[in-house]
Amino acid sequence: MCRNSLALLLAFAVAACNSGQVHRYSANTGDEHDEEHHEAHNPSEIVFDEHRQELFGVVCRKVESGAMPESVRAGGHLAASSNGQITLVAPASGIVRFAKGGLATGMSVSPGTVLAVISTEGVVGGDRIAKARAAYEAAKSEYLRDSVLVQDNIVTALHYEESRLAYTNARLELEALTGGVIDGPIEVRSDFSGRIESVRVSNGEYVDAGQPVAVVRAGHLLELQVDVPVRYATMAADCKDARLLTVRGDAVTVRGLGGYVVGCSQNAVDGYLTLTFIVPQTDGLIAGVPTDVWLLPDTGKTGLSIPAQAVIEEQGVTSVFVRLDEDCFEKREVVLGNCDGSRYEVLKGLSEGEDIVVEGAMHIKLATIQAIPHGHSHNH
């Protein structure tokens, strides 16, 4: 009797394995889920439920097209600077309104202190920034709508491309008027500690973009010296900004820190020119420490780009995690192009509008490695 029961159980097991039913592996618990509970998209599908996404800080964003500077990577070195002055300028044209308490010579400032706000209200020609923001929001709304409709062939591919171009142009026009600010007030702020040495404008005065507002004497400044190959001499001569890495690995820009370019050496040494910037000494920037630098010219091109932290590299192969639905992801190989230290240009592997993991990708990778036993297959 026992022998017959054992034979019957073995028969059922063989039948189950040969049924051809598709399974997929869960990165949650190591359990298998058949398509009866959750339809499998492909054999490489990864299950990472919403609870774990929240627990490990997994964040997804849609792939978008935008301006991508044709940056150049170079080696940089930080050194103490004897220059202690930094001029804070208006990021956009408009009426300057001093922060509460006003501005006065000798006033102390700290990182993040807002000195003034720029407004275009009351300027001849109307509120240009408000109009640009309204045009941007309208173009963005139409572009996002067409991104969905084109997938169902409700709008043509030509109409979709036109709305995408209109959205890109509206965003670039708004950034040009606001100094790169899409949402929120246009502020003149200090990103370092020091004292106001002089105030160059009056409260309520009209200022042009780039006009000096105040001069601050910083407590500590650093020189960023960048070794640029001589073949990029033209770019170096015109470059006004650069991205560098702090000792913690954070990417910051010279302009974002309130720094500025000093100039580029005229004579090449060993095939390199020296481009020098002045930056405030902040957390993560230490004199005497080398750093990676990406020169950021004002010119560039439009295309798909993704955050650098979204990229997973294994043995020279670059991949990203594409979100298929609420708790399913697919690891997809991508071909990358130029990098500006913060984002990668995407040449192949992704389409505009796809959801990818931009934060927490390493947790999904590690969970996948731990969840799949050696020699285990997703298909049974």
Side-chain angles (χ1 to χ4, degrees):
M1 186 68 178
C2 292
R3 200 174 286 174
N4 290 338
S5 299
L6 180 59
L8 185 59
L9 288 173
L10 288 173
F12 275 121
V14 171
C17 287
N18 294 333
S19 64
Q21 190 176 42
V22 177
H23 293 67
R24 67 179 184 175
Y25 210 84
S26 169
N28 298 332
T29 62
D31 297 332
E32 293 169 325
H33 297 264
D34 57 44
E35 62 184 0
E36 179 178 65
H37 298 286
H38 200 134
E39 182 181 357
H41 294 264
N42 56 60
S44 62
E45 190 174 303
I46 302 161
V47 179
F48 203 80
D49 64 36
E50 291 180 325
H51 172 71
R52 286 205 167 192
Q53 292 176 40
E54 183 177 358
L55 180 64
F56 291 108
V58 174
V59 177
C60 296
R61 293 281 186 272
K62 289 188 179 296
V63 178
E64 290 188 356
S65 178
M68 183 74 182
E70 296 179 350
S71 58
V72 171
R73 186 173 183 175
H77 185 270
L78 290 166
S81 172
S82 57
N83 189 345
Q85 290 185 347
I86 289 184
T87 301
L88 303 179
V89 302
S93 299
I95 303 298
V96 60
R97 306 287 185 189
F98 289 168
K100 186 177 180 180
L103 296 182
T105 301
M107 180 185 295
S108 296
V109 295
S110 57
T113 299
V114 177
L115 303 182
V117 175
I118 306 298
S119 171
T120 58
E121 294 181 6
V123 176
V124 176
D127 190 345
R128 295 176 60 199
I129 293 178
K131 291 180 180 178
R133 279 201 172 121
Y136 165 76
E137 292 297 337
K140 179 181 179 181
S141 177
E142 183 173 355
Y143 163 66
L144 293 177
R145 182 199 65 187
D146 291 343
S147 297
V148 176
L149 297 180
V150 73
Q151 298 178 14
D152 297 324
N153 295 322
I154 298 177
V155 299
T156 65
L158 178 60
H159 179 82
Y160 166 73
E161 286 299 320
E162 290 175 346
S163 66
R164 183 185 67 80
L165 181 61
Y167 161 70
T168 301
N169 290 337
R171 187 186 64 199
L172 292 175
E173 182 176 352
L174 176 59
E175 290 177 343
L177 290 174
T178 63
V181 178
I182 295 297
D183 298 308
I186 305 169
E187 299 171 336
V188 180
R189 64 169 63 221
S190 173
D191 291 308
F192 49 89
S193 298
R195 291 184 179 276
I196 296 178
E197 188 160 282
S198 65
V199 179
R200 299 294 184 86
V201 296
S202 301
N203 191 30
E205 180 182 338
Y206 177 84
V207 294
D208 292 316
Q211 182 175 335
V213 174
V215 176
V216 176
R217 178 167 291 279
H220 301 283
L221 291 178
L222 297 174
E223 280 190 7
L224 172 63
Q225 299 174 344
V226 186
D227 295 325
V228 184
V230 70
R231 65 179 179 275
Y232 298 117
T234 301
M235 175 189 287
D238 297 332
C239 187
K240 298 297 186 293
D241 198 10
R243 181 172 280 110
L244 65 153
L245 296 181
T246 69
V247 293
R248 294 193 298 266
D250 299 325
V252 296
T253 63
V254 170
R255 281 181 175 174
L257 293 173
Y260 57 92
V261 64
V262 175
C264 187
S265 63
Q266 299 297 315
N267 300 318
V269 178
D270 297 329
Y272 289 86
L273 298 169
T274 300
L275 180 61
T276 303
F277 297 89
I278 296 294
V279 294
Q281 186 172 19
T282 58
D283 289 342
L285 297 183
I286 303 173
V289 176
T291 180
D292 287 329
V293 178
W294 289 264
L295 303 183
L296 302 178
D298 292 333
T299 58
K301 56 184 177 179
T302 300
L304 296 182
S305 66
I306 58 176
Q309 61 267 32
V311 179
I312 297 293
E313 184 173 353
E314 296 173 290
Q315 299 180 345
V317 178
T318 51
S319 307
V320 298
F321 288 108
V322 179
R323 186 177 188 173
L324 304 176
D325 55 37
E326 289 79 2
D327 62 355
C328 296
F329 299 85
E330 173 193 31
K331 185 179 179 182
R332 187 182 302 173
E333 183 178 343
V334 292
V335 179
L336 304 177
N338 189 38
C339 177
D340 67 358
S342 176
R343 301 183 68 84
Y344 279 100
E345 178 188 14
V346 179
L347 302 180
K348 186 178 180 182
L350 289 173
S351 299
E352 191 168 4
E354 289 191 288
D355 260 347
I356 65 167
V357 177
V358 297
E359 294 182 26
M362 188 58 66
H363 291 295
I364 297 181
K365 175 187 174 183
L366 293 176
T368 305
I369 295 173
Q370 294 169 358
I372 304 177
H374 179 68
H376 187 88
S377 171
H378 288 259
N379 295 325
H380 294 267

